[in-house]
Amino acid sequence: MSTTTVTPAGATRRTGGSAPSAQDDAGLPASLAGPRPRTGIPFGRLVHVELRKMLDTRAGRWLLIGIGVVIAGALTILFVQDGGEHPFGDYLQATTMPMAVLLPVVGILAVTSEWSQRTALVTFTLEARRVRVASAKVVAALLVGASAVATSFVLATATHAAAIAFRGATGDWTMPGTAFLGAGGYVLLGLLQGVGFGMLLRNTPAAVVAYFVLPTAWSVVGSLVSQVRTAAEWLDLNRTMEPLFTGSLSGEEWARLGTSVGLWVLLPLAAGMWWITRAEVK
Amino acid sequence: MITVDHLTKRYGSFTALDDVSFEARAGRVTGFLGPNGAGKTTAMRVVAGLTPVSAGRTTVLGRPYATLPNPGRHVGLLLDASAQHAGRTGREVLTLGAILTGVDRRRVDHLLDLVGLTEKEAGRRVRNYSLGMRQRLGIAHALLGDPEVLVLDEPANGLDPAGIRWMRGLLRGFAERGGTVLLSSHLLGEIERVADDIIVIGHGRIVASGTTGELLSGSGTVVRSSDDAALAAALTARSVAVTPTATGALLVEAEPAEVGQCALAAGVALLELRSGDERGLEEMFLDLTASSAREEVAA
């Protein structure tokens, strides 16, 4: 431990000539060894911190616990019901659905909490290049999503295998390849969309409500109002993703998927990032 | 070292900062004094790169804040003690800062200890902290990266008298090590006890600045004359220090009698001649506070 030294002249200057107390001496932190950094913060470190921030609050942790409980419940029902006799796709749906529905909230909170809790003040002063912070949030969200998808695949596989081994289920592993893509995309795109909505609105309730209500409202309008039906076929993410779960996609279906992803995921992200780099942080 | 150069910040028709220029030098504590709403916080946010400016520029350690590599290792900021996630523990707040700035995590314990947060308190969530505890946590956070510059907005708020005394010693020690300290307060008494230099701001303008000695000196003479420039030249020729004050008078480091003799010799008519008294700054400050208070009532 290095000891801090305060020159007596300095320490007594403001205390009316009285000797500095031990407390005054203890007032200074130890200096750090080595030269001050001349290079910026590595991007990996930013991602590490953003990941940690997603999980170190009560809100983030309970959200993950909640997702875990829902998945456990769903898997238990499948395992017990009908002697576990369900195709693998059902098991996969039981694990990915809760994640796809609830994980976007993690993405939303990752951004909105910076504003509602005002930690943006700290975040953007420790890394002043805001685009890097925003990008680190996107990457961290993708990492959370990727590990969630991997976990859901493993859990679904394990439970289905257990149903075959212990419950005597016949088992049905058939699934179109694009369904894996669909399940993964469902979770990852949802998370990104959450981050994008968070950046755009920077207010937790507004972002959560907009995230859950807008696409659904759009789906409803698209199915009811004939004038926008064609538009909905291109711009309703719920609808454009459907073919992924059933099997092969035509060129136009891919184009529709791309268009809707652009509208609901990329556009909010880009606009949100643009705003973040220019806004006053209060 | 912090320099603020002709800084102007407008919000619509409201001018929060109006052509503000000042310097906070290394090895000194600079007190930023002004009533609530004077523009202290806005100026500090601009320095930290959080608020875009309408005109002017600011630098920290000779460069714009946004271009500092790993700013936490150069500048320690405490802009708002309440701007921490209520759901994180105090220790977690510091740990996040340590990871980001690349500081050994053991320093978190060192700093918690230094600012007087116990192991148990550090494990509690920030929502359960008193304002004083948040300030201590904020000061620990500012010191995390062993910075050369400290910018603290109202750090004494919520601290108990012992805490305020502790912080004074800390800031003095920091400056004596060669660091730059810029701290704001709306309390003159608080600033005058710790600052080497004082900048007084009111309604977005600098209304006075100088060393604490100059601004608060009980000695010296305040003089106003028909030709301040000639008088100042005459006094300077006698190697007497002369400083123009913000209110358009001269502050002279000499007895009134000597100033009067000098004015006679220089053929300058005196309009006002009195011992500089430390009431000056306080009166000016009270005026500022009173006028802003009136505005609040009117609005």
Side-chain angles (χ1 to χ4, degrees), chain B:
Chain B
M1 170 92 167
I2 301 169
T3 53
V4 172
D5 199 14
H6 296 290
L7 182 63
T8 296
K9 173 66 187 174
R10 279 182 287 269
Y11 293 97
S13 62
F14 173 69
T15 304
L17 294 171
D18 187 1
D19 198 26
V20 166
S21 298
F22 65 85
E23 238 177 36
R25 285 177 285 166
R28 299 176 76 85
V29 176
T30 304
F32 201 19
L33 181 67
N36 300 325
K40 303 185 296 287
T41 303
T42 307
M44 287 176 146
R45 272 211 309 265
V46 170
V47 168
L50 293 172
T51 295
V53 298
S54 307
R57 68 183 239 122
T58 63
T59 60
V60 184
L61 297 164
R63 54 205 294 183
Y65 187 94
T67 68
L68 287 170
N70 198 347
R73 289 295 314 275
H74 300 273
V75 185
L77 293 164
L78 171 54
L79 295 178
D80 188 339
S82 299
Q84 283 302 352
H85 199 295
R88 289 198 182 105
T89 66
R91 174 183 299 279
E92 177 66 17
V93 167
L94 294 186
T95 304
L96 285 171
I99 297 172
L100 198 56
T101 47
V103 167
D104 192 326
R105 286 199 216 175
R106 275 171 296 180
R107 192 169 165 84
V108 169
D109 291 302
H110 173 52
L111 281 164
L112 284 169
D113 189 42
L114 183 112
V115 300
L117 287 174
T118 63
E119 189 77 17
K120 209 175 150 194
E121 287 168 334
R124 279 161 62 187
R125 288 172 202 279
V126 173
R127 83 170 83 249
N128 303 316
Y129 279 24
S130 67
L131 180 55
M133 287 164 74
R134 285 176 200 217
Q135 294 282 21
R136 286 169 187 272
L137 180 66
I139 290 167
H141 195 275
L143 292 169
L144 202 55
D146 187 27
E148 295 169 76
V149 178
L150 275 182
V151 178
L152 312 171
D153 194 7
E154 304 270 0
N157 270 6
L159 285 181
D160 53 26
I164 290 175
R165 181 158 176 270
W166 159 78
M167 197 188 60
R168 244 183 253 139
L170 174 81
L171 298 184
R172 288 248 43 97
F174 187 87
E176 268 141 27
R177 256 192 201 177
T180 308
V181 180
L182 176 66
L183 88 153
S184 74
S185 176
H186 58 276
L187 301 173
L188 173 60
E190 193 43 54
I191 289 284
E192 71 180 7
R193 294 178 76 169
V194 67
D196 299 296
D197 299 308
I198 298 182
I199 297 151
V200 188
I201 187 171
H203 305 298
R205 284 176 201 222
I206 304 285
V207 293
S209 65
T211 65
T212 307
E214 281 163 11
L215 291 176
L216 295 172
S217 63
S219 62
T221 301
V222 177
V223 62
R224 239 181 258 272
S225 69
S226 58
D227 188 350
D228 280 350
L231 181 59
L235 286 163
T236 312
R238 292 191 183 203
S239 21
V240 172
V242 181
T243 339
T245 68
T247 48
L250 297 175
L251 183 70
V252 185
E253 307 249 322
E255 290 304 304
E258 193 188 347
V259 177
Q261 288 290 348
C262 185
L264 181 65
V268 174
L270 293 178
L271 304 177
E272 185 184 350
L273 180 68
R274 60 180 168 89
S275 290
D277 58 302
E278 52 189 291
R279 306 293 311 154
L281 185 60
E282 187 169 12
E283 272 164 26
M284 179 179 68
F285 187 57
L286 281 174
D287 274 355
L288 274 176
T289 319
S291 59
S292 58
R294 271 201 301 276
E295 275 175 9
E296 272 166 34
V297 173

Side-chain angles (χ1 to χ4, degrees), chain A residues 190-270:
Chain A
L191 256 166
L192 285 184
Q193 197 184 343
V195 173
F197 272 57
M199 286 183 183
L200 214 49
L201 296 164
R202 300 167 311 277
N203 171 300
T204 311
V208 169
V209 169
Y211 175 81
F212 284 108
V213 171
L214 273 184
T216 310
W218 177 230
S219 293
V220 172
V221 170
S223 59
L224 292 182
V225 185
S226 56
Q227 283 90 338
V228 297
R229 196 156 292 161
T230 323
E233 281 168 8
W234 285 80
L235 299 174
D236 181 350
L237 200 49
N238 290 327
R239 217 190 277 191
T240 57
M241 282 196 73
E242 261 167 36
L244 280 175
F245 297 97
T246 49
S248 61
L249 271 80
S250 69
E252 189 185 304
E253 279 170 331
W254 279 112
R256 287 178 179 184
L257 182 60
T259 312
S260 55
V261 167
L263 174 73
W264 291 102
V265 182
L266 299 182
L267 193 63
L269 268 179

